[in-house]
Coordinates of all heavy atoms in Angstrom, one line a residue:
A1 N 1.6 -0.4 22.2 CA 1.6 1.1 21.9 C 0.5 1.4 21.0 O 0.2 0.6 20.0 CB 3.0 1.4 21.3
G2 N -0.2 2.4 21.3 CA -1.4 2.7 20.4 C -1.5 4.2 20.1 O -0.9 5.1 20.8
M3 N -2.2 4.6 19.1 CA -2.5 5.9 18.8 C -3.9 6.0 18.1 O -4.3 5.0 17.5 CB -1.4 6.5 17.9 CG -1.2 5.8 16.5 SD 0.0 6.6 15.5 CE 1.5 6.5 16.5
Y4 N -4.5 7.2 18.2 CA -5.8 7.4 17.6 C -5.7 7.6 16.1 O -4.7 8.2 15.6 CB -6.5 8.6 18.2 CG -6.9 8.4 19.7 CD1 -6.3 9.2 20.6 CD2 -7.7 7.4 20.1 CE1 -6.6 9.0 22.0 CE2 -8.0 7.2 21.4 CZ -7.4 8.0 22.4 OH -7.7 7.9 23.7
I5 N -6.6 7.0 15.4 CA -6.6 7.1 13.9 C -7.8 7.9 13.3 O -8.0 7.8 12.1 CB -6.5 5.8 13.3 CG1 -7.6 4.9 13.7 CG2 -5.1 5.1 13.6 CD1 -7.7 3.5 13.0
N6 N -8.5 8.6 14.2 CA -9.7 9.3 13.7 C -9.3 10.5 12.8 O -10.1 10.9 12.0 CB -10.5 9.8 14.9 CG -11.2 8.7 15.7 OD1 -10.5 8.1 16.5 ND2 -12.4 8.4 15.4
D7 N -8.1 11.0 13.0 CA -7.7 12.1 12.1 C -7.6 11.6 10.7 O -7.7 12.4 9.7 CB -6.3 12.6 12.6 CG -5.3 11.6 12.7 OD1 -5.6 10.4 13.1 OD2 -4.1 11.9 12.3
I8 N -7.3 10.3 10.5 CA -7.3 9.7 9.1 C -8.6 9.9 8.5 O -8.7 10.3 7.3 CB -6.9 8.2 9.2 CG1 -5.4 8.1 9.6 CG2 -7.0 7.6 7.8 CD1 -4.9 6.7 9.7
E9 N -9.7 9.6 9.2 CA -11.0 9.8 8.7 C -11.3 11.3 8.3 O -12.0 11.6 7.3 CB -12.1 9.3 9.7 CG -12.0 7.8 10.0 CD -12.1 7.0 8.8 OE1 -12.9 7.3 7.9 OE2 -11.4 5.9 8.7
S10 N -10.7 12.2 9.1 CA -10.9 13.6 8.8 C -10.2 14.0 7.5 O -10.7 14.7 6.6 CB -10.3 14.5 9.9 OG -11.0 14.2 11.1
V11 N -9.0 13.4 7.3 CA -8.2 13.6 6.1 C -9.0 13.1 4.9 O -9.1 13.7 3.8 CB -6.8 13.0 6.1 CG1 -6.1 13.0 4.8 CG2 -6.0 13.7 7.2
L12 N -9.6 11.9 5.0 CA -10.3 11.2 4.0 C -11.6 12.0 3.7 O -12.0 12.1 2.5 CB -10.7 9.8 4.3 CG -9.5 8.8 4.5 CD1 -10.0 7.5 5.0 CD2 -8.8 8.7 3.1
A13 N -12.2 12.6 4.7 CA -13.5 13.4 4.5 C -13.1 14.6 3.7 O -13.9 15.0 2.9 CB -14.1 13.7 5.9
Q14 N -12.0 15.3 4.1 CA -11.6 16.4 3.3 C -11.3 16.1 1.9 O -11.6 16.8 0.9 CB -10.3 17.0 4.0 CG -9.8 18.3 3.3 CD -10.8 19.4 3.4 OE1 -11.6 19.6 4.3 NE2 -10.8 20.3 2.3
K15 N -10.6 14.9 1.7 CA -10.3 14.5 0.3 C -11.6 14.2 -0.5 O -11.7 14.6 -1.7 CB -9.5 13.2 0.4 CG -9.0 12.8 -1.0 CD -8.0 13.7 -1.6 CE -7.4 13.2 -2.9 NZ -6.5 14.2 -3.5
E16 N -12.6 13.7 0.2 CA -13.9 13.4 -0.4 C -14.6 14.7 -0.8 O -15.2 14.8 -1.9 CB -14.8 12.6 0.5 CG -16.1 12.1 -0.2 CD -16.8 11.1 0.7 OE1 -16.3 10.8 1.8 OE2 -17.9 10.7 0.3
K17 N -14.5 15.7 0.0 CA -15.1 17.0 -0.3 C -14.4 17.6 -1.6 O -15.1 18.2 -2.4 CB -14.9 18.0 0.9 CG -15.9 17.7 2.0 CD -15.7 18.7 3.1 CE -16.6 18.4 4.3 NZ -16.5 19.4 5.4
E18 N -13.1 17.5 -1.6 CA -12.4 18.0 -2.8 C -12.8 17.2 -4.1 O -13.0 17.9 -5.1 CB -10.9 17.8 -2.6 CG -10.3 18.7 -1.5 CD -8.8 18.4 -1.2 OE1 -8.3 17.5 -2.0 OE2 -8.2 19.0 -0.4
I19 N -13.0 15.9 -3.9 CA -13.5 15.2 -5.1 C -14.9 15.6 -5.5 O -15.2 15.7 -6.7 CB -13.4 13.7 -4.8 CG1 -11.9 13.2 -4.6 CG2 -14.0 12.8 -5.9 CD1 -11.8 11.8 -4.1
E20 N -15.7 15.8 -4.5 CA -17.1 16.2 -4.8 C -17.1 17.6 -5.5 O -17.9 17.8 -6.4 CB -17.9 16.3 -3.5 CG -18.3 14.9 -3.0 CD -19.1 15.0 -1.7 OE1 -19.2 16.1 -1.2 OE2 -19.5 13.9 -1.2
S21 N -16.2 18.5 -5.0 CA -16.1 19.8 -5.7 C -15.6 19.7 -7.1 O -16.2 20.3 -8.0 CB -15.1 20.7 -4.8 OG -15.0 21.9 -5.5
T22 N -14.7 18.8 -7.3 CA -14.2 18.6 -8.7 C -15.3 18.0 -9.6 O -15.4 18.4 -10.7 CB -13.0 17.6 -8.7 OG1 -11.9 18.2 -7.8 CG2 -12.4 17.4 -10.1
M23 N -16.0 17.1 -9.0 CA -17.1 16.5 -9.7 C -18.2 17.5 -10.1 O -18.7 17.6 -11.3 CB -17.8 15.4 -8.9 CG -18.8 14.6 -9.6 SD -19.6 13.3 -8.6 CE -18.2 12.3 -8.2
M24 N -18.5 18.4 -9.2 CA -19.5 19.4 -9.5 C -19.0 20.4 -10.5 O -19.7 20.8 -11.5 CB -19.9 20.2 -8.2 CG -20.7 19.4 -7.2 SD -22.2 18.7 -7.9 CE -23.1 20.2 -8.3
N25 N -17.7 20.8 -10.5 CA -17.1 21.7 -11.5 C -17.1 21.0 -12.8 O -17.4 21.7 -13.8 CB -15.7 22.0 -11.1 CG -15.6 22.9 -9.8 OD1 -16.6 23.6 -9.5 ND2 -14.5 22.9 -9.1
Q26 N -16.8 19.7 -12.9 CA -16.8 19.0 -14.1 C -18.2 18.9 -14.7 O -18.4 19.1 -15.9 CB -16.2 17.6 -14.0 CG -16.1 16.9 -15.3 CD -15.2 15.6 -15.1 OE1 -14.5 15.5 -14.1 NE2 -15.3 14.7 -16.1
L27 N -19.2 18.7 -13.9 CA -20.6 18.6 -14.3 C -21.1 19.9 -14.8 O -21.8 20.0 -15.8 CB -21.5 18.1 -13.2 CG -21.3 16.6 -12.9 CD1 -22.2 16.2 -11.7 CD2 -21.7 15.7 -14.1
T28 N -20.7 21.0 -14.1 CA -21.1 22.4 -14.5 C -20.5 22.7 -15.9 O -21.2 23.2 -16.8 CB -20.6 23.4 -13.5 OG1 -21.2 23.1 -12.2 CG2 -21.1 24.8 -13.9
L29 N -19.2 22.4 -16.0 CA -18.5 22.6 -17.3 C -19.2 21.8 -18.4 O -19.4 22.3 -19.6 CB -17.1 22.2 -17.2 CG -16.2 22.4 -18.5 CD1 -16.2 23.8 -18.9 CD2 -14.8 21.9 -18.2
L30 N -19.5 20.6 -18.1 CA -20.2 19.7 -19.1 C -21.6 20.3 -19.5 O -21.9 20.3 -20.7 CB -20.4 18.3 -18.6 CG -21.0 17.3 -19.5 CD1 -20.1 17.1 -20.8 CD2 -21.1 15.9 -18.8
A31 N -22.3 20.8 -18.5 CA -23.6 21.4 -18.8 C -23.5 22.6 -19.7 O -24.3 22.8 -20.6 CB -24.3 21.7 -17.5
V32 N -22.5 23.5 -19.4 CA -22.3 24.7 -20.2 C -21.9 24.3 -21.6 O -22.4 24.8 -22.6 CB -21.2 25.5 -19.6 CG1 -20.8 26.7 -20.5 CG2 -21.7 26.1 -18.2
M33 N -21.0 23.3 -21.7 CA -20.6 22.9 -23.1 C -21.8 22.3 -23.8 O -21.9 22.5 -25.1 CB -19.5 21.9 -23.0 CG -18.2 22.5 -22.4 SD -16.9 21.2 -22.2 CE -16.6 20.7 -23.9

């Protein structure tokens, strides 16, 4: 029995974008401070 797991990569890619957004917000806040 098998199933495709490419959607996992999509979930991880979305998670990575969220982390990158958090990183940019943190760097922006750090620069302002």
